[in-house]
Amino acid sequence: MPPLKNDCFALPPGVHWTPVDQALVDLRTRLSCVVDAETAPVSDALDRVLATDITAPRAHPPLPNTAVDGYGFLNGRGEGDHHIPLVAQHMPAGATPDTSVPAGTAIRILTGAALPPGVDTVILQEDVEVKDNAIHFTGPIKQGANTRKAGEDVKVGDAIAQAGRKLTPADLALLSAVGVSEVTARRPLRVGILSTGDELVQPGADAGPGQIYDANRPMLMGLISRLGHEAVDLGHVRDDRDVLRTRLDHAAGQVDVIFTSGGASAGDADHVSALLNEAGAMALWRIAIKPGRPLALGMWQGKPVFGLPGNPVAAMVCTLVFGAPALAMLAGADWSGPQGFMVPAAFSKTKKAGRREFLRARIRGGRVEVFASEGSGRISGLSWAEGLVELPDEAMTVASGDLVRFIPWSGFGA
Ligand code: AMP
Ligand code: MG
């Protein structure tokens, strides 16, 4: 893999507030795949990213077959009563269709069985009476009824999956159905998660009066796994520049990309941004987004670092909006914009122009409601929500019943 450039996060001078869409274009154009390809069995390939295009080595279905349990014969029949003598053989699913069925006779055939020569039409068993070794039914029945053509689903050589696709359960079915048992996939992207801050204590420990529990790390670990990457717990560091430097050095040898939370602004205790600055490869992305704080993006020993805001709400929103598509690029996957849909609002709100806003939201009774408080420290609202409402950069007044864009967590891939 060609390495990322050290200045891949550089911003043009004089830029103050970058619109969300511009920030996304910048990430999309500057980031590229950083993981090698390897062979993986299809059975183990769920959520893996394809490194090559795949064409079908076999048709599906491979031969014409029957879609129902019934009786097969040649040609359709018109109106009226029909009597067709049965041959002695049966065609169960999986049998080889080698003996031909003589004209004017019918064969017992079960769902999925290939049509033997001399059969192109199947009548449903419920529609016939079997008596004296013959079937009796009332027409009409069309030629080809209840059968599937060879290759009607997939033909040999059809393009069935493209490089960059993250394999779904249905993809595994399709690959298997056409006889693909192995794929060339990207090695999973290893994403390290590091919390910073003197105020943080770890769950299970006693917290002093001024301390808070580390909420971001379990949340980010969970988000990264949901996004299909390998989350690596890099622990917590105090606001101590030397300790942080040592931890980043170690992490750079361990993971493909580092997500930190806290310490990413330009204050005295903001050692993440200070260190990235020191490394000479940092840009503080001021993105016109609420909730959000500047995102410190930089390179540490060749590994991209995403310095997320410490506020859990901002950390989660930034991870979903910017982290998810950026990680997809690094993982060799297609760019993945969030998938939302328009839903009538169960709330009213006025917003100013100049930044995009994301509100913690959920759908109840076909309308989207938003969390009562927009405070970015309110973790309870994240847990209450089932997705985000995205309000555009422009000024907007939302009245109850107006359509707004709702993006469920799954629409971000999480
Ligand atoms: P910072 O970005 O370091 O200025 O932190 C902004 C806010 O987020 C502060 O109120 C921090 O205490 C809080 N914060 C930082 N890291 C975490 C964390 N891991 N879990 C919960 N809150 C955090
Ligand atoms: Mg801090």
Side-chain angles (χ1 to χ4, degrees):
M1 292 299 112
L4 295 175
K5 292 204 181 70
N6 226 25
D7 64 352
C8 72
F9 294 122
L11 287 169
V15 165
H16 284 305
W17 290 96
T18 308
V20 169
D21 289 339
Q22 183 59 49
L24 290 173
V25 167
D26 289 345
L27 289 173
R28 181 177 192 167
T29 49
R30 296 171 192 200
L31 296 178
S32 54
C33 178
V34 297
V35 282
D36 292 325
E38 61 189 19
T39 302
V42 165
S43 57
D44 212 19
L46 183 63
D47 283 341
R48 298 288 299 270
V49 175
L50 284 181
T52 57
D53 295 344
I54 298 184
T55 53
R58 189 175 200 245
H60 182 258
L63 291 174
N65 70 16
T66 171
V68 299
D69 289 341
Y71 298 86
F73 44 82
L74 195 63
N75 295 330
R77 296 292 189 277
E79 308 258 349
D81 291 338
H82 301 280
H83 313 279
I84 311 181
L86 283 168
V87 297
Q89 299 94 328
H90 281 189
M91 271 307 283
T96 308
D98 45 10
T99 39
S100 133
V101 174
T105 65
I107 186 170
R108 172 78 173 137
I109 189 165
L110 298 177
T111 306
L115 303 182
V119 172
D120 64 4
T121 303
V122 175
I123 188 162
L124 208 61
Q125 64 185 20
E126 288 83 351
D127 291 346
V128 305
E129 195 191 339
V130 184
K131 212 170 58 186
D132 303 331
N133 252 342
I135 52 170
H136 308 270
F137 60 92
T138 307
I141 179 167
K142 269 200 213 148
Q143 182 176 28
N146 299 311
T147 64
R148 307 168 178 139
K149 293 187 183 61
E152 71 172 23
D153 184 18
V154 182
K155 292 179 186 49
V156 173
D158 276 358
I160 53 168
Q162 275 65 51
R165 185 172 176 88
K166 190 162 117 179
L167 294 173
T168 65
D171 292 338
L172 304 190
L174 177 58
L175 293 170
S176 300
V178 298
V180 173
S181 62
E182 282 184 338
V183 293
T184 309
R186 297 288 165 192
R187 164 175 76 65
L189 187 74
R190 285 192 286 266
V191 184
I193 308 293
L194 180 67
S195 290
T196 71
D198 280 343
E199 73 278 35
L200 300 181
V201 283
Q202 298 314 307
D206 287 335
Q211 293 185 302
I212 59 169
Y213 286 107
D214 181 356
N216 286 345
R217 196 144 49 94
M219 173 180 78
L220 293 171
M221 292 288 294
L223 280 174
I224 297 305
S225 325
R226 284 269 173 99
L227 291 171
H229 310 295
E230 197 178 308
V232 178
D233 191 346
L234 300 176
H236 158 245
V237 287
R238 298 181 58 99
D239 289 319
D240 177 313
R241 204 163 296 190
D242 293 326
V243 176
L244 181 59
R245 184 186 289 113
T246 311
R247 192 71 64 92
L248 288 177
D249 284 347
H250 181 69
Q254 216 187 338
V255 299
D256 303 304
V257 44
I258 301 169
F259 271 43
T260 64
S261 74
S265 303
D268 294 343
D270 290 323
H271 299 298
V272 173
S273 39
L275 280 176
L276 291 176
N277 246 330
E278 199 180 287
M282 197 213 38
L284 204 55
W285 286 32
R286 290 190 177 77
I287 304 170
I289 181 174
K290 182 189 173 187
R293 300 272 306 155
L295 260 186
L297 298 180
M299 299 293 288
W300 192 263
Q301 295 175 6
K303 300 295 165 73
V305 180
F306 283 71
L308 299 168
N311 271 313
V313 178
M316 178 149 167
V317 169
C318 286
T319 300
L320 293 173
V321 176
F322 304 111
L327 290 175
M329 295 304 285
L330 295 170
D334 296 332
W335 180 257
S336 60
Q339 302 280 322
F341 46 90
M342 303 305 281
V343 187
F347 64 95
S348 57
K349 181 183 164 67
T350 301
K351 81 172 274 296
K352 292 200 207 90
R355 67 180 175 188
R356 191 154 314 175
E357 292 192 19
F358 289 92
L359 310 173
R360 282 151 280 179
R362 64 183 193 185
I363 294 180
R364 289 293 180 271
R367 283 152 53 102
V368 60
E369 46 187 50
V370 296
F371 192 60
S373 162
E374 291 184 18
S376 75
R378 302 281 187 102
I379 303 175
S380 62
L382 281 179
S383 170
W384 172 92
E386 294 167 5
L388 300 172
V389 158
E390 179 184 32
L391 300 179
D393 299 354
E394 300 79 47
M396 188 185 191
T397 301
V398 180
S400 182
D402 288 354
L403 291 179
V404 292
R405 185 167 191 237
F406 175 73
I407 307 168
W409 300 142
S410 61
F412 290 101

